[in-house]
Amino acid sequence: MAQVELLAAVQAFLARPHGSFIEGKAIAASRTLPVYNPANGETIATAGDSDADTVDQAVRSAHTALRDGRWSGLRPADRERILLAFTALVEAHAEELAQIETINQGKSINLSRALDTGATTEFMRYMAGWATKLHGESLDLSIAMPPGTRYTGYTRREPVGVVAGIVPWNFPLMIAAWKVMPALAAGCSVVIKPSPETPLSALRLAELALEAGVPPGVFNVVTGAGATGQALVSHPLIAKVSFTGSTQTGKLVGHAAVEHMARFTLELGGKNPMMVFGDADIGKAVQGVMLGGLLNQGQVCAAASRIYVHKSRHDEFVNALSAAVSTLTLGPGLDPGAQVNPVVSRRQQQAIEGYIESARQEGAKLAAGGKPVEAPGFFVQPTILSGVSQDMKVAREEIFGPVLSVLTFDTDEEAVQLANDSHYGLGASLWTSDISRAMNLIPRIEAGTVWVNTHVLLDPSMPFGGYKQSGIGREFGRHAVEGCTEIKSVCIAH
Ligand code: NDP
C-alpha cells in the first residue's frame, strides 16, 4: 500500500530547530540531539539537550504561574472550558500529530490515529471535566474545649504545585497527555520532559495548549536526555513527579523526589501474564494476544508477555498463534497496510534481539519469527517462543518488544502461582468461558489491572498502575486528579 504523504505542516514542523518550550515560547538549545525515523534510521529533526539552567528556567516559570494564580486561581469552570478548547484543538490537528508520532516513534499510522490521537482526545475530554468536579468534605467536629465552643471542619483540595512529568518513548503524545491533563484540571502548572528518542509531539502539544488559552508558563517542556530528567525531578520547586518508564529508573526518580519530599507516582514496567484455560475460545485468545501482546511491537508496559496455556490446548494455541503471526506484513508505520513496524531505536532492536538469542541458548523453541530482518530500519520479527520455562530470562524480564513466551499449566492453582511468580504486577488476563472461575481467580491475581477475555485496553475512568515493583500510585480516573492535589483541613470555631 502507498505510504501516507506527510502534511506540509508536519514537514515544516520537522524542519524547525527544536529546543524547549518555556513561558509560552520556543527556547533555542545550545546543545542538540538527533531525532531519528525508526523506519529507515535517517535523521528527521534535532531537539535540544537541555542543561540544568534551562530546567531551572522552566520550573521557575511554572512556579511563578502557580503563585500568581493565572491558572490555579481561575474559576474551575474557566479551566474546564479552556481544557475542552485545548482538546478540540488537538482533535483538529489529529492527523498532523498522528504523522509526527509515526515518523518519530515508528508505529503504524493506523495506531497513531486510533490511539495516540483518538483515545488521547477522549482521555483529555474526560480529564477536562474533572476541573469542576473536585471537592473536599465537611466534617462535624467533636473538639471538647473550651466548654461551649462548637467546631465545624472542612477539607479543601488544592493544587499540589508544579508537577514534573517524565514521559517515555512508547506513547509520547498519549502519555504526555496522561501527565498534563490531570495536573492542569487540578490547577497545577507542569514541566514535561519527553524521551530524547521521541521529543517532538510533546512540543507540539504545548504549542496547542497555549493557542487554546492555557496561559504561558503553565505548560512547559524541556527536551533532553537522562541528566535533564535528573535535574528536573531533583529541583526543589517540583512538588510532584509523575514518571513512566523502567523500574530501575523509577527507583532513582523516587529517591530523588523524596530528597525534597516531592510526591510521586511511578508507572513502571510489567511482565504481564495471560492465562488461557482449558475452556477458553482459542480463536479469541489468539486474536487477544495479537492485540494485547503485539500492539506497538510489544512496546507497551501492560503488554501480554508470558502466555500460560492449559496443557490440553497448548499445541492448538501455539499452531494458531504462529499461523496468525506468519501472515503479518512488515513495513514502515506510514504504510497503512504494514502490520509489523519498526521498534523505536537501534538500541531497543538490539536489546530485543539479545532476549531472543538468550531464549535460544536456554533451550526455548522458535515457533515463529526470531530471524533478523534485512532492512535499513529498526525491525524485529514478531516472535513466538514455545517450550519456555519459568526460570528463563525471557519469562522473567521485561522485553518491551514483539516476543511472546508460551508456557503451560495443569491446574488453576498452578496458573495463579505461575502468574504471581514475578516481582512485577501491572496487568494480567484470564481467558475462560466460565465466569465463576474468573470471579474466583480475580482477587488472587497480584496485578493492578485484571482483564477477562481481553487484554491491554484502558479507559480514562479505570485506575491504572502497578502492584509490587510495577509502580506506586494510580493514573486515570479520579485518582489521577486527586494525586495532583494536597488536602487542606480547615477548622472553624463558632
Ligand atoms: P528509562 O526508564 O530508563 O527512561 C525513561 C525516561 O526517564 C527517559 O526520558 C530517560 O531519559 C529518563 N531518565 C533516565 N534517568 C533518569 C533520572 N535519573 N531521572 C529522571 N529521568 C531519567 O527507559 P528507557 O527509555 O531507557 O527504556 C529501557 C526499558 O524501560 C525498556 O526496554 C522498557 O523495558 C522499559 N520502559 C518501560 C516503559 C513503561 O511504559 N513502563 C516505557 C519505556 C521504557 P534517557 O532516555 O535520556 O535516559
Side-chain angles (χ1 to χ4, degrees):
M1 206 180 272
Q3 288 194 37
V4 169
E5 230 171 273
L6 292 184
L7 296 170
V10 174
Q11 294 179 30
F13 179 75
L14 293 176
R16 277 160 50 182
H18 296 287
S20 293
F21 190 80
I22 301 173
E23 197 64 24
K25 294 186 207 72
I27 306 290
S30 51
R31 277 198 323 253
T32 58
L33 296 167
V35 180
Y36 299 104
N37 175 358
N40 55 23
E42 288 170 9
T43 304
I44 49 167
T46 57
D49 186 15
S50 306
D51 57 15
D53 285 346
T54 309
V55 171
D56 182 58
Q57 206 185 328
V59 176
R60 286 187 188 283
S61 160
H63 192 251
T64 303
L66 184 92
R67 280 278 171 86
D68 70 18
R70 70 185 83 158
W71 180 252
S72 54
L74 290 185
R75 290 186 318 136
D78 288 331
R79 283 208 301 271
E80 181 178 285
R81 183 176 45 74
I82 294 169
L83 291 178
L84 288 171
F86 175 27
T87 305
L89 206 51
V90 170
E91 220 155 29
H93 288 266
E95 180 60 19
E96 176 193 338
L97 289 160
Q99 292 187 7
I100 292 172
E101 209 67 337
T102 286
I103 197 155
N104 186 184
Q105 203 278 341
K107 66 182 63 175
S108 167
I109 187 71
N110 305 326
L111 187 61
S112 291
R113 288 170 179 159
L115 271 191
D116 300 72
T117 55
T120 295
T121 46
E122 290 193 348
F123 176 88
M124 291 177 72
R125 200 170 293 111
Y126 169 89
M127 281 297 164
W130 271 107
T132 50
K133 284 150 202 83
L134 275 174
H135 58 78
E137 51 189 354
S138 70
L139 308 161
D140 199 4
L141 305 176
S142 301
I143 301 170
M145 62 186 78
T149 305
R150 295 299 303 262
Y151 296 87
T152 299
Y154 70 95
T155 58
R156 289 173 47 74
R157 283 202 175 265
E158 300 184 345
V160 67
V162 178
V163 175
I166 309 277
V167 177
W169 43 255
N170 53 343
F171 291 94
L173 180 73
M174 186 160 83
I175 297 181
W178 291 1
K179 311 289 181 208
V180 168
M181 290 303 287
L184 294 190
C188 300
S189 306
V190 295
V191 181
I192 293 293
K193 195 210 78 87
S195 162
E197 261 115 14
T198 53
L200 301 177
S201 52
L203 288 165
R204 190 70 189 109
L205 191 68
E207 290 176 352
L208 293 174
L210 184 75
E211 196 179 326
V214 175
V218 172
F219 178 178
N220 307 279
V221 180
V222 286
T223 54
T228 310
Q230 225 170 332
L232 179 61
V233 300
S234 310
H235 198 292
L237 291 179
I238 292 295
K240 153 118 193 194
V241 178
S242 178
F243 172 86
T244 301
S246 65
T247 294
Q248 200 185 3
T249 305
K251 288 178 185 177
L252 296 175
V253 167
H255 280 292
V258 161
E259 261 324 293
H260 57 108
M261 227 30 99
R263 286 76 181 113
F264 55 87
T265 304
L266 304 174
E267 201 275 274
L268 308 176
K271 188 69 197 169
N272 311 290
M274 167 169 170
M275 287 152 270
V276 182
F277 293 90
D279 61 3
D281 179 328
I282 292 294
K284 283 192 182 145
V286 166
Q287 284 313 307
V289 78
M290 297 287 283
L291 173 74
L294 298 178
L295 180 81
N296 198 16
Q297 283 57 248
Q299 300 165 115
V300 180
C301 49
S305 157
R306 295 180 283 150
I307 320 295
Y308 297 102
V309 184
H310 190 266
K311 274 185 182 145
S312 64
R313 311 295 297 276
H314 171 267
D315 293 353
E316 181 190 355
F317 180 86
V318 170
N319 291 339
L321 180 59
S322 303
V325 159
S326 309
T327 64
L328 298 176
T329 53
L330 184 141
L334 285 174
D335 175 354
Q339 295 151 308
V340 176
N341 312 115
V343 298
V344 71
S345 61
R346 176 77 68 207
R347 179 176 70 125
Q348 194 63 13
Q349 180 193 35
Q350 288 168 348
I352 299 165
E353 287 171 350
Y355 277 108
I356 297 171
E357 184 51 32
S358 81
R360 219 195 307 254
Q361 284 178 11
E362 288 186 287
K365 282 198 283 258
L366 275 177
K371 313 247 171 10
V373 176
E374 302 300 333
F378 313 141
F379 291 90
V380 178
Q381 279 187 341
T383 300
I384 311 300
L385 300 166
S386 63
V388 174
S389 63
Q390 188 75 359
D391 55 349
M392 287 183 190
K393 205 169 149 188
V394 283
R396 305 212 69 82
E397 296 182 14
E398 182 175 47
I399 300 174
F400 231 62
V403 180
L404 304 172
S405 300
V406 184
L407 302 91
T408 57
F409 67 91
D410 219 354
T411 62
D412 290 14
E413 197 55 40
E414 193 190 0
V416 171
Q417 187 263 321
L418 289 168
N420 288 341
D421 176 26
S422 168
H423 63 265
Y424 290 113
L426 190 59
S429 61
L430 307 168
W431 295 76
T432 175
S433 53
D434 180 351
I435 189 68
S436 297
R437 167 183 270 146
M439 294 302 284
N440 291 333
L441 293 181
I442 288 165
R444 302 186 57 200
I445 304 295
E446 296 165 359
T449 302
V450 178
W451 290 276
V452 178
N453 295 329
T454 181
H455 193 112
V456 100
L457 300 172
L458 304 178
D459 184 274
S461 67
M462 202 165 75
F464 181 60
Y467 278 32
K468 302 194 276 189
Q469 295 205 22
S470 287
I472 292 179
R474 293 290 178 270
E475 298 195 289
F476 293 43
R478 71 157 57 234
H479 301 269
V481 199
E482 290 183 351
C484 295
T485 64
E486 198 67 91
I487 294 182
K488 179 178 282 171
S489 289
V490 181
C491 175
I492 302 170
H494 50 94

